[in-house]
Amino acid sequence: MNYGNIKKTDVSNGEGVRVSLFVSGCRNHCKGCFNQETWNFSFGKPFTPETETELLQALAPDYIAGLSVLGGEPFEEENQRVLLPFLRKVRETYPEKTIWCYTGYVYDKDLQKDGRKHCEATDEMLALIDVLVDGPFIEEQRDISLQFRGSRNQRILRLK
């Protein structure tokens, strides 16, 4: 898996000050996407053990509320398989911090058993996530007044 960006003090992608990881690779290709360069699975840098260490260290300060994972698309199957062991480490190291994840897929349609993005990693990955923001960005429903999402169809789901 590659990633396009890491923000170590992000206040736009979840509650509180967060560390945000923007993974590469997305098959949704939403019209009007703000992060089109991350559609390419080869964009950015490889997600390595050093990247994990950097992120875990960035999460350490008390003022950091947690981790946000965005994209690209975290729920592309190949990304799930890399993210799952990393999210386990985050949860084990910082059980008090929250994990937010953004997906263009729909939780109850695409990510549940028999959904088109469900794989062997999905259930555990969802179990590690506190808040899931789901649904594709729909340019015609764009609303800049919404907190933590870009279009009215997107939902903020508190999984825990």
Side-chain angles (χ1 to χ4, degrees):
M1 179 181 84
N2 280 9
Y3 68 96
N5 195 10
I6 293 172
K7 291 185 179 181
K8 294 185 178 172
T9 53
D10 186 358
V11 295
S12 300
N13 295 302
E15 294 167 340
V17 180
R18 312 189 66 74
V19 174
S20 292
L21 169 66
F22 293 79
V23 303
S24 294
C26 181
R27 293 181 179 95
N28 285 320
H29 297 187
C30 299
K31 179 182 166 194
C33 173
F34 80 100
N35 215 6
Q36 288 185 20
E37 62 273 7
T38 63
W39 291 356
N40 184 333
F41 283 85
S42 299
F43 176 77
K45 302 176 187 174
F47 188 81
T48 64
E50 293 77 22
T51 310
E52 287 190 10
T53 299
E54 177 185 353
L55 287 162
L56 290 168
Q57 289 173 347
L59 286 162
D62 289 342
Y63 64 86
I64 298 293
L67 173 72
S68 293
V69 183
L70 309 91
E73 177 55 61
F75 278 94
E76 296 296 359
E77 296 87 341
E78 51 269 75
N79 289 344
Q80 289 185 57
R81 293 177 182 117
V82 176
L83 286 169
L84 177 57
F86 171 63
L87 293 180
R88 282 186 200 128
K89 288 179 191 173
V90 171
R91 182 62 68 211
E92 290 165 9
T93 308
Y94 303 109
E96 74 286 359
K97 299 195 186 242
T98 59
I99 298 173
W100 281 53
C101 188
Y102 286 73
T103 180
Y105 295 109
V106 177
Y107 173 72
D108 27 346
K109 177 182 168 196
D110 300 318
L111 303 180
Q112 297 298 303
K113 188 175 185 232
D114 299 323
R116 66 184 174 135
K117 287 298 161 177
H118 189 276
C119 71
E120 75 283 350
T122 308
D123 291 337
E124 187 178 353
M125 190 165 147
L126 288 168
L128 293 166
I129 294 168
D130 296 288
V131 178
L132 182 71
V133 181
D134 83 335
F137 173 75
I138 298 175
E139 192 171 44
E140 296 75 25
Q141 293 187 36
R142 181 175 181 258
D143 185 342
I144 62 170
S145 71
L146 297 171
Q147 191 174 35
F148 308 130
R149 52 205 169 110
S151 59
R152 289 185 300 280
N153 64 296
Q154 295 172 317
R155 304 179 297 175
I156 298 173
L157 304 172
R158 297 193 184 274
L159 302 182
K160 294 196 177 206

